Amino acid sequence: MNEAQTVTTGGTTTGSTPRLSTATLDRLPPAVKRPGYDRAAVTPGIVHLGLGAFCRAHLGVYTEAVLESGAKDWGIVGVDMLSPAIRTALKPQDCLYTVLNRIDGTDRLQVIGSFLDMLATGDQLAEVLALMIDPKIRIVTLTVTEKGYCQDPATGTLDESHPAIVADLANPTVPRSVPGLLTEAIRLRRAAGVTPFTVLVCDNLAQNGIKVRRIVTRFADLRDADLGRFIADTIAFPCTMVDRITPATQDAERAAVAAGLGLEDQWPVVTEPFRQWVIEDRFATGRPAWELDGAIMVDDVHPFEMMKLRCLNGAHSTLAYLSVVAGIETIADAMADPYLPSVVRRLWDEDLIATLPPVPGTDVPAYTVELEGRFRNPEIRHRTLQISSDGSQKLGPRLLEAAQERIAAGFRPSVIPLTVAAWMRFLLEVDENGTAYAVADPMADRLTGIARAHGGSATDLADALFAVTEIFPPELVADAGFRASVIGHLQSLKDHGVHATLAAFLGGR
Ligand code: CS2
């Protein structure tokens, strides 16, 4: 069941278990952590765009600690931009939700109160914009995924032909896209004489603040050059590195949370114990003291973000494409496979670690050992199919840029061509057991169309996909060795399957 299907409409529930809400908080068992501060006295200081599981396991938790410390002006209002599903599920709970950590079989539950309200742009756009120009709001945070920024993934610039961008440029006061919404809010705020907010991007993009500043400035520029200049000159877009593995919530976890709370929570989040947040400390109008809960405030996020994006997310994508094709359901299952852990070890040791700048206070090889442990965590059922989504947006920053750097430095990437071949094989939409799955990607129609037309031949398929310049930089696919390596792996994946390919790959070192 996907997340949207599990929500009851109108917040009513048919079960006999009472619902989590302000009124029922005092019924929670003592072991469940809950807000110890007076929520009614907290005012919003942050608008958060993109109300998925991740921000509730990350931003919501760090901010909870700030509110617990006595701060009263940093509550969050969450805005659902895709569908109103999470708002609809959580509003009847007064926006309270549970974070479930399962450690060695024991459930630890915390009810989070830092989200004071939730809105959805679909039917509350005017309220969202009104809130975004309120002087109390000093930060707009975002987790809208890579594709949410309407970028050309190969260049990290605004995709000016993106349908949402075309629509927002035609009708800029009723924006639907993220660049359109930010631009309109900044314009209205400026017109009202309100000090600009800071835009804090919390998505897995390399140099996320710099990239999104470029995208939003370009969008504004296309609307009005003066507005573009205003954004470039006055709005701060600090960079961040965010990390916490947080899969989509399953029904079994809802049931475990209900059992632990003695109350029904329609949309809890289940997450790992680990979390990390590195933030460039550049806020125009103040910020919560997130460091109280372990956030690392720095001048330069880049080394941290490169390490995380390449080592964690790059390994995730490698495991995901090989696993979906092999019919392996979760990352923990992949880490119990006889071959896959050795593949990611080689990815780190042979392709990625050498591309990273020194990371302050961090032993990168030790970081990858810790990653192995996080990936093996059997309590986190992180679906490989979930991670396989949006490959067109993810491959570049996670792996292709590293491959280019290795080639430029005179080395042959070892595992990255195998990942690319696995992604190409994945586009055929059926695994080795004959089970069909859907490719979720903003470019899915085009990519699966290419796979259907050319799937008969590894060379033709790879050639047709290498020609997609939104994904593959021309300099990378001009490298004959890289092309040959991808085609060789793809041929083997098609002819012999994942396990035989990995056995040969690992045996042939
Ligand atoms: C994952 C990330 O779905 C994916 O692509 O690689 O969501 C990953 O779990 C997070 O970035 C971990 O911080």
Side-chain angles (χ1 to χ4, degrees):
M1 185 180 286
N2 72 28
E3 295 210 319
Q5 286 169 318
T6 61
V7 179
T8 54
T9 47
T12 51
T13 127
T14 48
S16 53
T17 318
R19 191 78 174 270
L20 172 67
S21 70
T22 309
T24 55
L25 270 181
D26 60 359
R27 299 196 206 171
L28 290 172
V32 177
K33 259 178 98 177
R34 82 282 321 258
Y37 55 93
D38 177 10
R39 279 183 93 213
V42 177
T43 52
I46 300 170
V47 166
H48 179 76
L49 305 180
L51 206 43
F54 177 77
C55 71
R56 294 191 293 124
H58 195 266
L59 169 75
V61 172
Y62 281 92
T63 307
E64 185 76 352
V66 174
L67 300 180
E68 290 289 2
S69 78
K72 296 212 168 356
D73 55 349
W74 286 116
I76 309 168
V77 177
V79 177
D80 220 332
M81 290 197 63
L82 291 178
S83 86
I86 296 183
R87 174 207 64 187
T88 304
L90 296 185
K91 278 286 279 188
Q93 301 181 186
D94 304 316
C95 304
L96 294 166
Y97 64 90
T98 315
V99 174
L100 165 64
N101 263 189
R102 198 165 275 168
I103 303 168
D104 299 330
T106 307
D107 285 356
R108 300 190 194 182
L109 300 167
Q110 179 176 11
V111 171
I112 300 289
S114 53
F115 281 84
L116 303 178
D117 197 4
M118 293 182 177
L119 304 169
T121 46
D123 54 7
Q124 292 177 294
L125 182 62
E127 280 154 270
V128 171
L129 283 168
L131 184 69
M132 290 174 85
I133 62 171
D134 185 325
K136 286 200 290 295
I137 300 301
R138 283 147 294 150
I139 303 179
V140 175
T141 51
L142 296 102
T143 52
V144 294
T145 79
E146 297 87 338
K147 65 175 176 292
Y149 297 97
C150 306
Q151 55 159 342
D152 173 339
T155 58
T157 55
L158 180 72
D159 174 1
E160 295 176 24
S161 61
H162 192 293
I165 296 301
V166 173
D168 280 2
L169 284 171
N171 208 355
T173 57
V174 193
R176 293 289 172 213
S177 72
V178 170
L181 180 63
L182 286 172
T183 302
E184 179 60 1
I186 292 167
R187 183 188 73 83
L188 290 170
R189 214 167 151 107
R190 180 192 191 194
V194 179
T195 323
F197 48 58
T198 297
V199 179
L200 192 66
V201 178
C202 301
D203 281 295
N204 293 319
L205 304 168
Q207 306 210 301
N208 52 13
I210 294 170
K211 204 165 270 177
V212 175
R213 175 178 183 271
R214 191 161 62 211
I215 289 169
V216 175
T217 305
R218 175 66 186 154
F219 178 89
D221 214 26
L222 292 170
R223 263 188 84 170
D224 165 6
D226 179 51
L227 185 57
R229 258 192 313 278
F230 175 79
I231 293 181
D233 292 346
T234 59
I235 307 286
F237 289 79
C239 288
T240 63
M241 181 271 251
V242 292
D243 190 8
R244 194 168 206 188
I245 293 174
T246 309
T249 310
Q250 307 292 317
D251 282 346
E253 292 144 1
R254 284 186 174 80
V257 168
L261 298 183
L263 297 172
E264 184 194 356
D265 178 348
Q266 281 201 354
W267 217 317
V269 289
V270 54
T271 189
E272 62 173 341
F274 182 95
R275 63 191 155 95
Q276 196 174 24
W277 198 6
V278 186
I279 308 171
E280 186 187 351
D281 202 357
R282 208 158 51 76
F283 290 78
T285 44
R287 61 166 176 82
W290 284 309
E291 64 271 34
L292 283 176
D293 201 31
I296 304 169
M297 310 305 300
V298 296
D299 291 334
D300 183 13
V301 172
H302 193 54
F304 295 94
E305 133 211 297
M306 295 262 286
M307 173 180 75
K308 190 266 173 168
L309 200 51
R310 291 186 179 179
C311 293
L312 190 157
N313 298 113
H316 253 177
S317 293
T318 298
L319 290 170
Y321 295 119
L322 289 164
S323 296
V324 171
V325 172
I328 298 171
E329 201 189 341
T330 69
I331 291 292
D333 293 344
M335 293 304 283
D337 180 83
Y339 303 114
L340 286 167
S342 309
V343 172
V344 279
R345 175 46 56 209
R346 281 185 61 176
L347 174 71
W348 290 322
D349 291 350
E350 294 172 22
D351 289 354
L352 299 181
I353 292 176
T355 67
L356 300 175
V359 186
T362 310
D363 172 346
V364 179
Y367 174 82
T368 63
V369 172
E370 191 180 15
L371 282 180
E372 267 183 65
R374 292 171 63 193
F375 289 172
R376 285 184 196 278
N377 183 349
E379 317 282 18
I380 297 292
R381 293 192 54 73
H382 202 179
R383 299 248 173 326
T384 53
L385 193 59
Q386 183 186 349
I387 299 168
S388 76
S389 67
D390 300 343
S392 66
Q393 318 284 307
K394 291 173 175 174
L395 282 176
R398 294 178 179 204
L399 294 168
L400 300 181
E401 286 168 17
Q404 262 182 282
E405 289 168 25
R406 290 297 281 162
I407 292 168
F411 299 95
R412 300 249 124 260
S414 144
V415 178
I416 297 172
L418 173 64
T419 311
V420 172
W423 171 74
M424 291 177 170
R425 164 64 187 82
F426 156 84
L427 295 175
L428 294 174
E429 295 181 294
V430 59
D431 74 15
E432 292 174 2
N433 309 316
T435 306
Y437 51 82
V439 169
D441 194 297
M443 295 177 69
D445 288 349
R446 185 163 154 209
L447 298 174
T448 56
I450 292 174
R452 270 194 298 280
H454 300 280
S457 146
T459 308
D460 291 354
L461 178 55
D463 282 346
L465 289 168
F466 282 147
V468 178
T469 51
E470 293 92 327
I471 301 174
F472 291 103
E475 317 81 69
L476 177 62
V477 293
D479 185 83
F482 183 80
R483 289 182 88 95
S485 180
V486 172
I487 291 169
H489 289 310
L490 182 56
Q491 186 76 57
S492 174
L493 288 169
K494 279 164 58 60
D495 292 350
H496 308 296
V498 170
H499 280 122
T501 302
L502 298 186
F505 173 72
L506 293 168
R509 45 181 323 176

